[in-house]
C-alpha cells in the first residue's frame, strides 16, 4: 500500500496539486485515503478519517483494499472510491470529486505502469512492487478477496524501474514488496530467483 500511495502522490504532484503533510490535512481541498483491510485498527482509522472529511466537506477519495473488497461498506457512502489496479486514475478521481461528483473506479484491469510519477515517503528507499494478489485460497483473508489472484509485473519492467531508481543519487535501498513475494512470476513463466539474478546483474558493480 505504501508503494501505491507514493505513485498516487506522484501523479497528483505531477498534475500540479500541492501535497500537504498529515498534520496539515484540514487545509487540503481533497483527501485521498489509501486503505488497508488486513487489520481492524487500520480499517477503523480509515472510517474515522472518512467521517472527519465528510464533516469538513472535503472531496474524499478512498483507495486500496477496503473499497475493492467491500464496496457496500456504509462508511464509503457519499465518497469516491478507487480500486487497487486503478491508482493510475487518481487524478481523474480527485478532479471529479472536487466538482462534487462521486466516482466509483473499481473494475479490475491490467496492473498500473511502473514508470508512473512517484513521490517517495523516504527519499532513500525505492519500494518496488513485484505483483499483486497471491496463489493462496484462504477463505478468511480479506486481502485475497480485494487483491485477487497473483498478477506479476514483467521481469524486464521491474529491472528497468530498479535501474532508474538506482540512478537517483538519493536512493540507497530498493525494497521488493508484494502480498506473495515467493510466488512472484509463477503466473508469467518466471520466478523470484530469476528476478534477483536480473536485478543483481544490473545493480551490482
Amino acid at each position: 500500500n505504501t508503494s501505491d500511495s507514493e505513485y498516487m502522490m506522484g501523479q497528483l504532484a505531477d498534475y500540479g496539486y500541492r501535497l500537504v503533510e498529515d498534520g496539515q490535512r484540514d487545509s487540503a481541498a481533497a483527501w485521498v485515503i489509501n486503505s488497508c483491510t488486513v487489520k481492524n485498527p487500520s480499517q477503523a482509522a480509515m472510517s474515522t478519517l472518512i467521517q472527519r472529511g465528510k464533516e469538513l466537506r472535503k472531496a474524499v477519495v478512498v483507495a486500496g483494499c477496503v473499497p475493492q473488497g467491500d464496496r457496500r461498506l456504509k462508511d464509503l457512502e457519499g465518497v469516491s472510491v478507487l480500486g487497487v489496479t486503478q491508482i493510475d486514475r487518481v487524478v481523474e478521481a480527485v478532479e471529479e470529486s472536487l466538482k462534487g461528483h462521486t466516482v466509483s473506479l473499481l473494475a479490475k484491469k491490467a496492473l498500473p505502469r511502473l514508470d508512473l510519477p512517484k513521490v517517495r515517503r523516504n527519499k532513500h528507499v525505492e519500494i518496488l512492487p513485484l505483483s499483486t494478489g497471491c496463489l493462496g485460497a484462504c477463505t478468511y483473508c480479506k486481502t485475497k478477496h480485494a487483491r485477487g489472484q497473483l498478477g506479476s509485473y514483467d521481469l524486464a519492467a521491474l529491472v528497468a524501474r530498479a535501474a532508474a531508481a538506482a540512478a537517483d543519487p538519493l536512493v540507497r535501498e530498493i525494497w521488493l514488496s508484494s502480498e506473495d513475494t515467493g510466488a512472484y512470476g509463477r503466473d508469467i513463466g518466471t520466478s523470484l530467483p530469476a528476478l534477483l539474478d536480473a536485478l543483481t546483474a544490473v545493480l551490482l558493480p
Side-chain angles (χ1 to χ4, degrees), residues 2-69:
T2 299
S3 176
D4 289 350
S5 294
E6 292 181 344
Y7 275 121
M8 287 191 286
M9 289 191 294
Q11 292 170 83
L12 290 167
D14 190 61
Y15 193 75
Y17 283 101
R18 182 172 63 87
L19 307 178
V20 299
E21 298 295 330
D22 284 347
Q24 300 173 302
R25 70 168 70 101
D26 286 1
S27 67
W31 288 10
V32 179
I33 302 168
N34 196 17
S35 63
C36 174
T37 190
V38 175
K39 297 179 179 179
N40 285 335
S42 300
Q43 189 161 328
M46 176 210 72
S47 299
T48 300
L49 281 173
I50 292 173
Q51 183 58 38
R52 175 65 176 168
K54 288 178 177 179
E55 290 171 356
L56 294 176
R57 299 184 179 279
K58 302 294 184 182
V60 177
V61 177
V62 181
C65 291
V66 172
Q68 189 73 68

Side-chain angles (χ1 to χ4, degrees), residues 192-202:
L192 182 62
L195 173 63
L196 294 175
D197 284 343
L199 288 173
T200 54
V202 170

